[in-house]
């Protein structure tokens, strides 16, 4: 298996190189075609699609449980291993990137059940993290654990899906500026996972839930993303519920921008902020 920092780029890159790669690797077709296309986009043109195993990176002082994005339909621990490896290297904490069942073969809530089980088995303190649909899963998992009285030290969300009830204005306004997400495609993926659950169901749209049990929260999102409001509205609601919130809106950011570290300085800076946050909430000594 290739190392975590191998991939489609060599050396530092600019935003335009990522845009060109995204344009050349559309995520389309049936479930297996989408999984292979996403793997090739992120890992290289000869990457296998599925299956992948969970990835555990040893550390001490606590655990970051990282839940990969991909619309609940694609992505894997391997596609997001670079993110996990960077966080482990910067913090010294253990990092677990679990496999969870994908839709449409496995509808909700098996993803939530798998995430809760992973946290319950992790060495604490635990930081929950995830991007896009993985950010949604991290948020819903944190809320479920709060209802169960299970402590989580912090939550890191990279461009999460948080609301499908219609409150967002950027799902329409930013479609032309977001090369990774359009509302129609995002809605299709959600339907595959959530089926006939109402759009205002608290697990489909956790923005509407009681957020008061959440631990400190870090949100990172790009200014021109379709899901920008999903982060802005969550930050506002969480603060109103008394949750400590750190929000960074990146002017140059792209959806799932963290996938492009270490080559893109914008992505690397986002992971640096996440590593600092994880170290602070767990009490771990931040590595230089």
């Amino acid at each position: 298996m290739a190392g975590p920092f191998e991939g489609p780029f060599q050396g530092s890159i600019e935003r335009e190189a990522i845009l060109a790669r995204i344009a050349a690797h559309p995520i389309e077709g049936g479930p297996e075609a989408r999984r292979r296309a996403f793997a090739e986009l992120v890992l290289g043109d000869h990457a296998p699609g599925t299956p992948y195993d969970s990835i555990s990176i040893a550390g001490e002082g606590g655990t970051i449980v990282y839940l990969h994005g991909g619309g609940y339909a694609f992505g894997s621990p391997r596609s997001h291993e670079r993110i996990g490896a960077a966080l482990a290297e910067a913090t010294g904490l253990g990092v677990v990137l679990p496999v969870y069942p994908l839709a449409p073969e496995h509808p909700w809530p098996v993803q939530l059940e798998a995430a809760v089980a992973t946290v319950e088995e992790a060495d604490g303190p635990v930081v929950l993290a995830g991007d896009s649909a993985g950010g949604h899963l991290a948020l819903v998992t944190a809320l479920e654990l709060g209802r169960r009285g299970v402590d989580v030290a912090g939550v890191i969300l990279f461009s999460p899906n948080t609301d499908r009830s219609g409150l967002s204005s950027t799902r329409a306004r930013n479609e032309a500026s977001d090369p990774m997400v359009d509302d129609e495609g995002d809605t299709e993926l959600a339907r595959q996972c959530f089926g006939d659950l109402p759009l205002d169901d608290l697990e489909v749209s956790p923005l509407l839930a009681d957020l008061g049990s959440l631990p400190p929260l870090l949100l990172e999102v790009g200014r021109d993303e379709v899901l920008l409001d999903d982060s802005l509205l969550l930050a506002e609601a969480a603060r109103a519920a008394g949750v400590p919130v750190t929000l960074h809106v990146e002017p140059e950011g792209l959806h799932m921008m963290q996938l492009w570290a270490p080559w893109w300085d914008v992505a690397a800076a986002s992971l640096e902020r996440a590593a600092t946050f994880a170290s602070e909430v767990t009490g771990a000594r931040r590595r230089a």
Side-chain angles (χ1 to χ4, degrees), residues 185-230:
D186 186 61
T187 298
E188 175 202 347
L189 292 174
R191 190 176 298 113
Q192 289 183 12
C193 182
F194 299 114
D196 294 329
L197 282 176
L199 296 179
D200 60 356
D201 183 277
L202 299 185
E203 291 185 354
V204 177
S205 296
L207 172 67
L208 306 179
D210 180 357
L211 304 176
S213 67
L214 288 176
L217 175 64
L218 171 66
L219 280 159
E220 297 260 336
V221 66
R223 180 187 61 192
D224 296 328
E225 289 193 49
V226 162
L227 298 183
L228 172 61
D229 265 359
D230 285 55

Side-chain angles (χ1 to χ4, degrees), residues 73-239:
F74 46 87
S76 70
R78 181 70 181 95
S79 66
H80 287 65
E81 186 180 9
R82 289 193 297 266
I83 295 175
L87 293 174
E89 183 177 6
T91 63
L93 297 166
V95 177
V96 176
L97 297 96
V99 169
Y100 61 81
L102 297 179
E105 298 94 330
H106 304 284
W108 189 266
V110 294
Q111 296 83 2
L112 175 59
E113 294 164 357
V116 168
T118 299
V119 174
E120 291 178 337
E121 295 173 0
D123 294 330
V126 172
V127 176
L128 267 166
D131 60 302
S132 193
H136 171 275
L137 183 54
L139 176 58
V140 176
T141 300
L143 291 169
E144 175 61 24
L145 291 170
R147 285 189 286 271
R148 299 185 186 191
V150 178
D151 289 333
V152 175
V155 179
I156 297 169
L157 304 179
F158 297 141
S159 306
N161 292 76
T162 70
D163 180 67
R164 299 184 183 280
S165 70
L167 296 177
S168 170
S169 63
T170 59
R171 283 181 175 261
R173 189 174 76 239
N174 284 356
E175 275 204 321
S177 60
D178 191 330
M180 287 286 286
V181 180
D182 64 88
D183 189 46
E184 181 179 357
D186 186 61
T187 298
E188 175 202 347
L189 292 174
R191 190 176 298 113
Q192 289 183 12
C193 182
F194 299 114
D196 294 329
L197 282 176
L199 296 179
D200 60 356
D201 183 277
L202 299 185
E203 291 185 354
V204 177
S205 296
L207 172 67
L208 306 179
D210 180 357
L211 304 176
S213 67
L214 288 176
L217 175 64
L218 171 66
L219 280 159
E220 297 260 336
V221 66
R223 180 187 61 192
D224 296 328
E225 289 193 49
V226 162
L227 298 183
L228 172 61
D229 265 359
D230 285 55
S231 285
L232 298 183
L233 294 171
L234 179 66
E236 180 182 1
R239 284 171 176 151

Side-chain angles (χ1 to χ4, degrees), residues 38 69-70 80 131-132 159 180 254-260:
F38 184 76
H80 287 65
D131 60 302
S132 193
S159 306
M180 287 286 286
L254 296 168
H255 187 65
M256 304 176 96
M257 59 187 164
Q258 296 78 16
L259 289 170
W260 308 113

